[in-house]
Amino acid sequence: HNLLLKVEHLQAIAIDANPLTHLPGNNTIVLTIQNAINANSDVALIYTDLDYFKSYNDAYGFSAGDDVLLFNANTLQDVLRMACGDEGFLGHIGGDDFVMMFPAQKMQKVGLEIIRAFDEGIPEFYGEEDQMRGGIVSRDRSGGVCKFPLVSISLAGIELKNKGFTRYVEVATACAEL
């Protein structure tokens, strides 16, 4: 019976995991954040989003886009591990959206290190010409020339303790507003 519970737990994790990054998905993210709210844990949450990712996908293709998503996931995991040891959580909401949770006192260190590591690594995913000009030049639907900068990362961070949150959706809304 105990073995059956373990198998069911492993199946649940596998079903919830993002197929590309294998990181926990939305169900686990919601439960993890809700548990932190319920315990009034002294944790910070950072929501990440990639800027200009669609233009990158359009220019380089979905396979290259997946490589950028994996680079981002690995960068977030590495920073979390370096700054927080095993005290951090990383989930993949979907697409280019990720969420991290870790001890609140480490928020500035984690945020700054994510930006540094991401900005340092992202040029490698571009051709030499795009690297030199700092972005992609393409035509829009009306035939005009558009320049899109290199993919960058945006972060929205919030501390959960004593903020009066009662439900996960309130945290998600606060991050979206940031």
Side-chain angles (χ1 to χ4, degrees), residues 119-133:
D119 288 351
E120 183 179 284
I122 197 66
E124 296 173 24
F125 294 90
Y126 287 82
E128 196 174 318
E129 197 174 306
D130 288 339
Q131 283 183 31
M132 297 284 283
R133 81 173 140 235

Side-chain angles (χ1 to χ4, degrees), residues 4 6 17 21 24 54 56 73-75 87 94 100 106 132-133 135 137 141 143 148 163:
L4 181 61
K6 286 182 182 177
T21 61
K54 183 186 179 327
Y56 179 87
N74 289 333
T75 299
E87 293 185 284
M100 318 167 76
K106 306 210 177 190
M132 297 284 283
R133 81 173 140 235
V137 174
R141 291 181 185 158
F148 298 96
K163 294 292 190 281

Side-chain angles (χ1 to χ4, degrees), residues 7-83:
V7 170
E8 287 175 355
H9 176 71
L10 288 173
Q11 287 173 333
I13 291 171
I15 288 169
D16 186 42
N18 181 280
L20 177 65
T21 61
H22 306 291
L23 290 170
N26 288 316
N27 293 334
T28 303
I29 292 167
V30 169
L31 286 173
T32 302
I33 295 171
Q34 190 62 54
N35 287 341
I37 292 168
N38 294 346
N40 198 28
S41 298
D42 193 15
V43 295
L45 184 133
I46 290 181
Y47 171 90
T48 75
D49 181 50
L50 298 183
D51 304 309
Y52 310 109
F53 183 66
K54 183 186 179 327
S55 60
Y56 179 87
N57 255 349
D58 291 347
Y60 284 88
F62 289 105
S63 180
D66 284 350
D67 290 343
V68 168
L69 293 176
L70 288 169
F71 158 72
N72 187 42
N74 289 333
T75 299
L76 298 175
Q77 262 181 328
D78 291 348
V79 168
L80 203 53
R81 207 172 286 124
M82 179 212 55

Side-chain angles (χ1 to χ4, degrees), residues 67-164:
D67 290 343
V68 168
L69 293 176
L70 288 169
F71 158 72
N72 187 42
N74 289 333
T75 299
L76 298 175
Q77 262 181 328
D78 291 348
V79 168
L80 203 53
R81 207 172 286 124
M82 179 212 55
C84 305
D86 61 356
E87 293 185 284
F89 169 81
L90 175 61
H92 189 168
I93 297 167
D96 61 339
D97 299 329
F98 293 80
V99 66
M100 318 167 76
M101 195 167 61
F102 50 87
Q105 70 271 19
K106 306 210 177 190
M107 181 151 46
Q108 184 166 357
K109 178 181 182 178
V110 168
L112 290 172
E113 185 56 25
I114 288 168
I115 292 166
R116 186 205 61 74
F118 188 91
D119 288 351
E120 183 179 284
I122 197 66
E124 296 173 24
F125 294 90
Y126 287 82
E128 196 174 318
E129 197 174 306
D130 288 339
Q131 283 183 31
M132 297 284 283
R133 81 173 140 235
I136 298 167
V137 174
S138 65
R139 297 206 174 270
D140 62 20
R141 291 181 185 158
S142 61
V145 175
C146 295
K147 182 176 179 193
F148 298 96
L150 298 182
V151 173
S152 59
I153 190 165
S154 290
L155 310 175
I158 192 162
E159 293 183 18
L160 297 187
K161 189 171 179 69
N162 299 325
K163 294 292 190 281

Side-chain angles (χ1 to χ4, degrees), residues 33-34 37-38 163-171:
I33 295 171
Q34 190 62 54
I37 292 168
N38 294 346
K163 294 292 190 281
F165 295 120
T166 57
R167 294 179 22 235
Y168 158 80
V169 70
E170 296 164 347
V171 175

